[in-house]
Amino acid sequence: VLNESTRIPIDTFSMATSSITVYEWGRGVEHTNLAKELSKFDLENPIQKALKNQLTVYTDIAAGTALATAYVKAIPTAASTITWDTDGTASTSATVNLNAALCGVIRDYMRDTLVVPWYEKSNYMGIASTKALRGIKSDGDFQAWRQYLAPQEVLYNSEVGMIEQIKFVESNNTSILSNAKGTSSVLGEAFIFGDDALALVEAQTPEIRMAIPGDFGRFQAAAWYGILNFGLPWSATATAGEVKVVHLTSS
């Protein structure tokens, strides 16, 4: 509240930085001109398609590797109980899979204790393995996306639904999100996050490149190449207001 003669108080804006080291990424395929000339099919199209698919998988793994460094680990130890590890390492074994009640526990902890900002509007985002989502889908409290999605809402790729203000997207990349964690491999892993959770640094955007043909054009190759990396802007922290990601996992 201001008096007529007082000036508006001015705060000093402070800013800290996090470092993310970029690396060269790339992988290619070589083929001979003889195979190209004798093939009934155009070899370059399937090769480039395979390289693009591989690039997608590799960038998923890079992003997931960064998200997995989050300090807050959520470990389901009962049908409605989460054990929290806040040192970056899960030291307890999960005994149940994800369900609707556990989504509520995670949502409340993120909202009330960790003070994680919404990803958008009033929603968090969840990227979950197929097994984790099966635990939710098999729960009678699951809310199908058609029941909540307004016509103007964005439906993300592979989005399967929302529960407890968490929109879930399925990932079958088991190199990052396991389907076999915890006691008797009961748990499927997931990342649940709010705004400003992950950063991508690109010095060179990944692209498909064709090699200069070798041996007078007899050997040809294509590869994807980029200079980039993912990282957490708010890393190595479990401090309320700074945490942006919760990793559902197990020892």
Side-chain angles (χ1 to χ4, degrees):
V1 177
L2 303 175
N3 295 322
E4 183 179 0
S5 58
T6 60
R7 298 179 63 86
I8 296 176
I10 301 297
D11 295 322
T12 301
F13 179 74
S14 61
M15 184 172 61
T17 61
S18 295
S19 62
I20 299 174
T21 302
V22 297
Y23 298 97
E24 289 185 297
W25 292 69
R27 192 126 186 182
V29 173
E30 186 179 62
H31 63 87
T32 64
N33 184 64
L34 179 64
K36 177 181 177 181
E37 293 297 331
L38 298 183
S39 176
K40 293 177 62 176
F41 307 101
D42 184 353
L43 289 180
E44 292 184 357
N45 285 337
I47 286 175
Q48 291 190 33
K49 182 177 180 180
L51 288 172
K52 290 177 182 178
N53 290 339
Q54 186 184 70
L55 171 60
T56 299
V57 172
Y58 271 63
T59 51
D60 279 352
I61 292 174
T65 300
L67 288 170
T69 63
Y71 262 41
V72 179
K73 308 295 182 181
I75 306 165
T77 50
S80 59
T81 303
I82 292 286
T83 295
W84 299 95
D85 278 342
T86 57
D87 60 357
T89 302
S91 55
T92 304
S93 182
T95 57
V96 296
N97 197 15
L98 186 63
N99 59 33
L102 291 173
C103 287
V105 174
I106 293 171
R107 180 265 179 213
D108 290 351
Y109 190 77
M110 291 177 66
R111 186 65 178 163
D112 186 49
T113 302
L114 298 177
V115 199
V116 179
W118 299 119
Y119 179 81
E120 61 175 10
K121 298 181 180 178
S122 297
N123 300 322
Y124 292 123
M125 287 298 300
I127 301 176
S129 67
T130 300
K131 187 167 187 174
L133 289 176
R134 176 50 54 197
I136 297 176
K137 291 175 183 178
S138 298
D139 193 311
D141 291 332
F142 176 69
Q143 181 180 358
W145 69 266
R146 289 189 182 276
Q147 292 177 286
Y148 82 82
L149 194 67
Q152 70 273 14
E153 287 281 357
V154 175
L155 181 63
Y156 294 98
N157 289 337
S158 300
E159 183 179 337
V160 296
M162 179 174 70
I163 193 164
E164 291 289 351
Q165 293 179 285
I166 303 171
K167 281 188 175 184
F168 281 101
V169 172
E170 181 179 7
S171 172
N172 64 351
N173 191 338
T174 54
S175 296
I176 281 299
L177 292 174
S178 172
N179 280 320
K181 297 289 284 188
T183 304
S184 301
S185 301
V186 69
L187 178 68
E189 289 188 296
F191 300 118
I192 302 170
F193 53 90
D195 187 37
D196 201 22
L198 184 68
L200 166 61
V201 178
E202 285 185 327
Q204 170 69 58
T205 301
E207 62 183 4
I208 302 296
R209 294 184 174 184
M210 305 301 295
I212 298 174
D215 195 22
F216 304 97
R218 295 180 62 238
F219 296 98
Q220 302 176 22
W224 60 264
Y225 171 80
I227 305 174
L228 69 154
N229 203 9
F230 292 85
L232 300 187
W234 303 84
S235 59
T237 180
T239 303
E242 296 183 1
V243 177
K244 313 296 181 182
V245 185
V246 167
H247 184 194
L248 181 77
T249 187
S250 173
S251 60

